[in-house]
Amino acid sequence: MNEIERYLDRLSARLRGSGADVSRVLAETEEHLRDAVRDGVADGLTEEDAARRAVTRFGSPWAVARRFGGRPAWVLIAPELARLVPSAAAGLVAIGVSGVLAQVLGWLFGPAFVAGDLPWVRYTPQRCAELGHPAHGCLDAVVRDHFGEVVGGRVAAGVLGLLVLGGYALVRRRLGAARVTPMPGVLPVAGTALYGVATAVLLIDGMNLATAGGAHAGSGQCWSAGVVALVMFLAYARTLYREHFSRSTA
């Protein structure tokens, strides 16, 4: 599906009225866009770049639909929200993967590497009493309890993400891929920025914890999340490069 076909599909989802009226608007829009593409090619652009320029200049499907009598607001918003679902679910799965990685780090270096506290942190008698004063002491009980929360919470988020992705795939199959396709251009930029910042913050926090408290200050909690955030950053950055920069240098 090329740029113009994707645009027409998104516009069609936002138009209302009789079938004849919708068909007329789509036909007129397509004719205008095809003419603009021919003009762009005549100006020296590739057909793909000319189509992208034509779509950008014509206006967003939302704005065009409003001019011709668009659908109610919730109908317009729903497709945009649907396009965010796979990215949000992938983020949940990434959290789940970080939970698995945290579990592995706990096996290798001990729970305190993932869920420990800085040396000067103290726990109240009430907190120790809640954990039942285990044989290894209050500190060990708190660390193990926190370790279970870190791993369990992240893995639960990952399972939820997998369920959402499964539901999304089912809906996509029933409605057709064209109805719920990912948002072009926007998500790679947002994902690269979001995961880039998350990677920097998490890895810096991990280094600070390791420097201040050593191997038992819980730096593994940041390392496990930071590594996964870095992988997501690289994946989004690769998509961003392919969609924007590689085309401009081709």
Side-chain angles (χ1 to χ4, degrees):
M1 183 181 293
N2 60 35
E3 192 77 24
I4 291 178
E5 290 172 344
R6 283 194 294 268
Y7 182 89
L8 292 173
D9 182 75
R10 296 182 68 188
L11 176 59
S12 174
R14 289 157 178 76
L15 291 171
R16 67 177 177 181
S18 66
D21 289 339
V22 171
S23 297
R24 176 182 56 80
V25 172
L26 292 176
E28 292 176 357
T29 301
E30 182 175 11
E31 181 180 3
H32 177 87
L33 292 174
R34 299 292 183 192
D35 289 341
V37 170
R38 284 191 287 270
D39 292 340
V41 172
D43 291 340
L45 298 176
T46 65
E47 186 171 345
E48 186 177 6
D49 289 338
R52 192 177 300 111
R53 186 181 74 172
V55 165
T56 301
R57 289 182 174 180
F58 194 72
S60 71
W62 195 320
V64 174
R66 283 204 304 269
R67 292 203 300 267
F68 291 102
R71 296 181 179 180
W74 69 269
V75 176
L76 300 178
I77 294 172
E80 304 303 328
L81 295 179
R83 290 179 172 87
L84 296 175
V85 170
S87 294
L92 290 173
V93 173
I95 293 174
V97 172
S98 75
V100 174
L101 182 56
Q103 178 69 69
V104 172
L105 292 176
W107 286 335
L108 294 175
F109 305 109
F113 180 73
V114 174
D117 280 315
L118 293 168
W120 52 83
V121 175
R122 295 292 181 267
Y123 308 107
T124 64
Q126 291 81 3
R127 176 61 171 158
C128 294
E130 289 174 0
L131 299 172
H133 295 289
H136 295 289
C138 181
L139 175 61
D140 181 76
V142 170
V143 167
R144 292 183 181 279
D145 181 67
H146 187 204
F147 180 76
E149 291 175 349
V150 170
V151 174
R154 292 184 183 183
V155 170
V159 172
L160 176 60
L162 290 174
L163 292 174
V164 172
L165 282 176
Y168 174 83
L170 180 62
V171 171
R172 191 169 186 258
R173 182 180 302 173
R174 297 193 63 175
L175 297 183
R179 293 293 181 185
V180 282
T181 52
M183 298 171 70
V186 177
L187 288 180
V189 174
T192 300
L194 175 64
Y195 286 107
V197 171
T199 299
V201 170
L202 289 166
L203 295 183
I204 290 173
D205 282 351
M207 287 187 289
N208 289 338
L209 286 172
T211 301
H216 301 290
S219 60
Q221 182 175 178
C222 297
W223 295 125
S224 58
V227 168
V228 175
L230 176 60
V231 172
M232 296 294 288
F233 164 74
L234 293 175
Y236 274 102
R238 180 174 180 269
T239 302
L240 177 63
Y241 176 80
R242 291 176 60 185
E243 287 194 2
H244 295 274
F245 300 104
S246 64
R247 289 176 179 174
S248 62
T249 57

